[in-house]
Amino acid sequence: GDGLIKSVTIDGPGFLNITVEPLADGTYQITTEVADLAGNISSPLEEPLVITIDSADGGTGAAPQSLID
C-alpha cells in the first residue's frame, strides 16, 4: 500500500521481523497479502491489525505483545 514497509525477514522459528518508516502519531491498519512468483496478489488474508502511535504518551504504554495464540 503506502510504502511504509522497508523490509520483512523471517527468522529460524518462523517469526516475522518488519522494519517500517518512522510513523507519525495516528492510527494505522496493518494488513497481510501474498504475492506469488507470477506477481498475482491475494486479497487481504484476515482483518487488519489496528495500532495507534501516540508519542505524547511519554513511554508509559505497555510493551508489545505477541500476536501468536
Side-chain angles (χ1 to χ4, degrees):
D2 294 307
L4 298 174
I5 294 180
K6 295 178 85 172
S7 67
V8 177
T9 58
I10 302 174
D11 65 12
F15 293 104
L16 289 175
N17 299 294
I18 302 170
T19 303
V20 298
E21 296 287 335
L23 298 174
D25 285 3
T27 300
Y28 297 87
Q29 293 186 11
I30 299 172
T31 58
T32 53
E33 297 174 336
V34 176
D36 65 16
L37 294 175
N40 300 307
I41 299 175
S42 72
S43 298
L45 300 178
E46 57 187 53
E47 292 297 316
L49 170 66
V50 178
I51 63 169
T52 300
I53 306 296
D54 182 2
S55 60
D57 182 26
T60 59
Q65 295 180 331
S66 172
L67 300 177
I68 299 173
D69 293 345

